[in-house]
Amino acid sequence: MFSLEIAVLAMRRGANMEPNSWTLLVICAAKSNGLSPVQLQKSLFLLERRLPQEDLGERFYEFTPYNYGPFDVKIYQDAEVLQEKGLVAITQLGGRRWKTYRATSDGLGLAAKLRTETSLHALEYLDNVVEWVLGLSFRELVSAIYAEYPEFRANSVFRG
């Protein structure tokens, strides 16, 4: 079971949730598939772009154009804090250059509690976004983001 400290870290009602709570919800929505860094970044970016501020709250990630489109390093920092708290496992499988973000059982438990305090509209959209990103290759995902948000191609190293 998770401690009171962990619960306080992430538990806020609805739009008062901290960004790391949204990161946990996105990672948990991927279930056992886990998320690659680009899938995690783009899922949270789409939440920021398409959900009303009333759902997300005033404090959220601030995305800037980077190597593969919209990016905020704070997402990785928050994921590492979630790992330290035992809510997320970050692994790097042999032969791969990227990490995978997966929820732990404690993370799934806390996310279930957070889901009861989040708008149904936001949860439905979050689940759909995560399912969508999981269904695309790296190339397809980055290309789709650039097609919809060309301004985030500014600093890109991606030529796909």
Side-chain angles (χ1 to χ4, degrees), residues 82-102:
L82 293 170
Q83 180 181 24
E84 290 168 11
K85 300 294 183 183
L87 302 171
V88 167
I90 303 172
T91 57
Q92 189 166 359
L93 300 177
R96 290 189 179 167
R97 293 187 341 225
W98 65 90
K99 297 176 181 180
T100 301
Y101 299 84
R102 284 189 178 82

Side-chain angles (χ1 to χ4, degrees), residues 45-110:
F45 172 74
L46 290 171
L47 292 181
E48 186 268 335
R49 287 294 156 143
R50 296 191 176 161
L51 284 179
Q53 190 174 357
E54 305 85 71
D55 285 334
L56 292 177
E58 291 182 26
R59 295 177 316 276
F60 202 69
Y61 297 109
E62 294 181 26
F63 294 90
T64 58
Y66 198 60
N67 291 348
Y68 300 101
F71 177 81
D72 187 338
V73 71
K74 182 111 174 64
I75 291 169
Y76 297 147
Q77 294 166 348
D78 283 352
E80 288 172 6
V81 169
L82 293 170
Q83 180 181 24
E84 290 168 11
K85 300 294 183 183
L87 302 171
V88 167
I90 303 172
T91 57
Q92 189 166 359
L93 300 177
R96 290 189 179 167
R97 293 187 341 225
W98 65 90
K99 297 176 181 180
T100 301
Y101 299 84
R102 284 189 178 82
T104 64
S105 58
D106 283 350
L108 291 169
L110 183 54

Side-chain angles (χ1 to χ4, degrees), residues 11 13-14 25 110-120 123:
M11 293 277 311
R13 296 196 124 251
L25 286 172
L110 183 54
K113 197 165 189 103
L114 287 169
R115 287 179 71 90
T116 67
E117 302 191 9
T118 305
S119 82
L120 291 177
L123 291 173

Side-chain angles (χ1 to χ4, degrees), residues 120-132:
L120 291 177
H121 166 74
L123 291 173
E124 189 174 286
Y125 184 71
L126 182 148
D127 291 340
N128 288 333
V129 162
V130 172
E131 182 180 342
W132 181 74

